[in-house]
Amino acid sequence: MAAGLAIAWSLLRHSPTRGALGRHRSLAPAFAVLVVLLGPASMAKHATQSSLGGHLDMASMYLVASFIAGYALMRLLDRGPVFLAVIFVVFVAACEIAGLWSREIPVVMYAGNVAFGFLLVVGLAIEAVLVRRGLFPHARWAWAAVACMVVAFTIWNLTASGTGLCSPDSLLQGHAVWHVLCAASAYCLYRHYATEIDRDPTPARLGGRV
C-alpha cells in the first residue's frame, strides 16, 4: 500500500510528460491503484487464513502482473489503452483459469503462481526489448525491479513452510520480506516506466526519404 501511495505522490509532484504514461495519463494512476490493492488483498489472506482471502490475494497478484505484461505488450506493438484493456482482461481470465488447477507444483506450489510469474517474466522480457530500442535513457530502475523480485522469490522459497528457515513464532519473517521486496519492485518498475522517452519519428512517418 505504501508503494502504491508513493507512486501516487510521485504523480502529484511530477506527472510523466513523455513516453506512454505521458500520452495516456490514466495509466499511471491505474497502476498505482493496483499496487495499493496488493496490501488489503494480502491482509485478507494472512489475517483470515480463509479460502476467500487466499483468492483475493491471488486475484490482486493477477491484476498487477496482467497490467505489467499488457502494458509492455501495448508499447511493443505501439497500440493504445483500449488494446491494453482487452489484453488485461484476457490475461486476468487466463490466470484465474490456471488457478483452478489444484495439484501442488514443485518450487512455486500453485498453478496460479506459475501464471503470475509467467506474466512477470513476459513483461520484463519485453521491457528489455524496449530498452534496447532506445526508449529509455537508462535501465537502472528496471534492473532494481528485477533484483528486488529475484531476491524476494529466493527468500520466499528459503523460508516457506516446512523449510529449516521457517520460524512461525519469530518477529522476523522471511515471507514478510517477500512482501516488502515485492512492493519495492513495483515502485521501481513505475520509476522505470516514468523514464520512458518518446519514440523518434522515422523517415517513413515523416514522409521523407531514407
Side-chain angles (χ1 to χ4, degrees):
M1 292 171 66
L5 292 175
I7 294 172
W9 175 250
S10 178
L11 284 169
L12 289 175
R13 295 185 62 190
H14 182 67
S15 181
T17 58
R18 299 188 299 175
L21 294 186
R23 294 190 300 272
H24 311 293
R25 296 299 182 90
S26 62
L27 297 184
F31 183 64
V33 170
L34 293 180
V35 174
V36 168
L37 286 177
L38 287 171
S42 176
M43 286 187 282
K45 173 185 178 180
H46 294 293
T48 68
Q49 292 294 301
S50 65
S51 59
L52 177 59
H55 182 75
L56 291 174
D57 183 39
M58 292 302 302
S60 69
M61 294 166 59
Y62 297 157
L63 292 174
V64 170
S66 295
F67 182 95
I68 291 171
Y71 182 59
L73 193 60
M74 180 196 87
R75 285 143 59 230
L76 178 69
L77 301 178
D78 198 15
R79 306 296 292 273
V82 173
F83 173 84
L84 172 58
V86 172
I87 202 69
F88 175 80
V89 172
V90 170
F91 283 163
V92 172
C95 287
E96 291 288 356
I97 293 173
L100 296 176
W101 181 265
S102 58
R103 294 183 182 179
E104 186 171 335
I105 299 175
V107 182
V108 295
M109 298 184 185
Y110 307 112
N113 289 337
V114 175
F116 168 74
F118 175 76
L119 288 179
L120 289 182
V121 171
V122 168
L124 292 173
I126 295 176
E127 292 299 328
V129 173
L130 297 175
V131 168
R132 291 180 63 86
R133 288 185 177 182
L135 295 183
F136 296 89
H138 56 76
R140 56 176 175 263
W141 284 110
W143 281 113
V146 172
C148 287
M149 186 54 64
V150 170
V151 174
F153 181 69
T154 302
I155 293 175
W156 182 74
N157 275 283
L158 293 177
T159 59
S161 298
T163 62
L165 295 178
C166 177
S167 180
D169 298 323
S170 173
L171 291 176
L172 298 177
Q173 292 293 325
H175 193 77
V177 178
W178 150 266
H179 284 289
V180 172
L181 289 176
C182 285
S185 179
Y187 177 76
C188 290
L189 193 56
Y190 164 73
R191 293 297 300 270
H192 166 71
Y193 292 155
T195 64
E196 184 179 359
I197 60 179
D198 292 321
R199 298 173 184 265
D200 290 332
T202 63
R205 290 181 179 175
L206 292 176
R209 296 180 179 179
V210 177

